[in-house]
């Protein structure tokens, strides 16, 4: 036996509205939570369903003393639908006006762009110029490595890297000297550590090759 399908939110809204329309009375929330299950709306969801109706102006809500009452009359729903209808009609008229403005603008932009031999010739010439531009751009990229500006930029980058490397080399020599002065008894251990991390006897400052 297939499981009974639960009501959708819209169906629950319709069921709760029926309670209001059939009685045309005022209700407390706890009263609606008792009446809801009779229409197939479980009491736990009554509060949210009624609030959605209040948000859409289909149900009125007001506090009288310490109690909050809810009510809705068929005439209220009719007024709400008429308000929605007027708004949709206004939106439709606004959209039609905008469509006409865009249509007129399109017609204006089309003037001077009618198909003709002169226009076709101009477009063909423009396409040829764009193609030539792309070809020259590709050719320029092939010679980018020989660009004097790029060459100078690489030279400057190499000089910066060279200076940084030798600065760190100087720091390493300084640190080695400090260790030797402060821990003379650990000379062998220090030498062993230096070798392990790559600081060998031929460790020295870097020299830039002469440009030839």
């Amino acid at each position: 036996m297939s499981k009974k399908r639960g009501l959708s939110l819209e169906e629950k809204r319709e069921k709760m509205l029926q309670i209001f329309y059939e009685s045309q009375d005022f209700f407390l929330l706890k009263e609606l939570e008792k009446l809801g299950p009779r229409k197939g709306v479980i009491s736990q969801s009554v509060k949210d369903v009624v609030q959605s109706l209040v948000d859409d102006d289909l149900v009125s809500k007001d506090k009288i003393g310490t109690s909050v009452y809810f009510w809705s009359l068929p005439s209220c729903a009719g007024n709400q639908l008429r308000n929605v209808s007027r708004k949709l009609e206004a939106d439709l008229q606004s959209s039609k006006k905008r469509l006409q403005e865009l249509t007129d603008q399109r017609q204006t932009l089309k003037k001077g762009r009618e198909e003709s031999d002169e226009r076709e010739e101009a477009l063909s010439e423009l396409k040829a110029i764009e193609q030539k531009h792309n070809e020259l751009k590709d050719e320029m990229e092939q010679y980018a490595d020989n660009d004097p500006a790029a060459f100078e930029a690489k030279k400057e980058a190499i000089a910066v890297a060279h200076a940084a490397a030798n600065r760190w080399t100087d720091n390493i020599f300084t640190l080695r000297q400090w260790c030797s002065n402060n821990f003379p008894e650990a000379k062998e251990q220090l030498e062993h550590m230096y070798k392990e991390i790559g600081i060998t006897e031929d460790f020295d400052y870097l020299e830039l090759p002469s440009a030839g």
Side-chain angles (χ1 to χ4, degrees), residues 43-94:
S43 58
Q44 292 89 336
S45 65
V46 167
K47 181 178 179 181
D48 291 337
V49 174
V50 172
Q51 185 58 51
S52 74
L53 293 170
V54 172
D55 293 340
D56 290 343
D57 295 328
L58 293 173
V59 169
S60 298
K61 170 184 175 182
D62 201 2
K63 187 174 184 181
I64 303 175
T66 58
S67 301
V68 178
Y69 287 89
F70 299 87
W71 72 93
S72 180
L73 303 175
S75 59
C76 295
N79 290 335
Q80 173 66 10
L81 290 174
R82 280 189 287 274
N83 290 335
V84 171
S85 177
R86 281 195 292 268
K87 183 179 184 305
L88 292 175
E89 181 63 28
D91 290 343
L92 177 60
Q93 294 302 322
S94 177

Side-chain angles (χ1 to χ4, degrees), residues 147-160:
D147 182 12
F151 182 72
E152 285 300 319
K154 288 181 180 180
K155 282 180 61 179
E156 291 179 7
I158 291 172
V160 171

Side-chain angles (χ1 to χ4, degrees), residues 25-37:
D25 203 352
F26 297 81
F27 297 96
L28 294 169
L29 180 60
K30 62 182 180 180
E31 294 174 333
L32 292 170
E33 289 175 339
K34 291 180 181 179
L35 294 171

Side-chain angles (χ1 to χ4, degrees), residues 122-135:
L123 288 174
S124 178
E125 184 177 351
L126 175 60
K127 186 175 181 180
I129 292 174
E130 289 177 344
Q131 183 177 349
K132 186 62 177 179
H133 170 75
N134 291 331
E135 291 175 356

Side-chain angles (χ1 to χ4, degrees), residues 13 35 40 75 100 114 128 136 139 143 160 172 188 202:
R13 284 160 56 94
L35 294 171
S75 59
Q100 186 59 49
E114 296 83 358
L136 291 173
E139 187 176 351
Y143 295 104
V160 171
I172 292 171
E188 291 185 7
D202 59 350

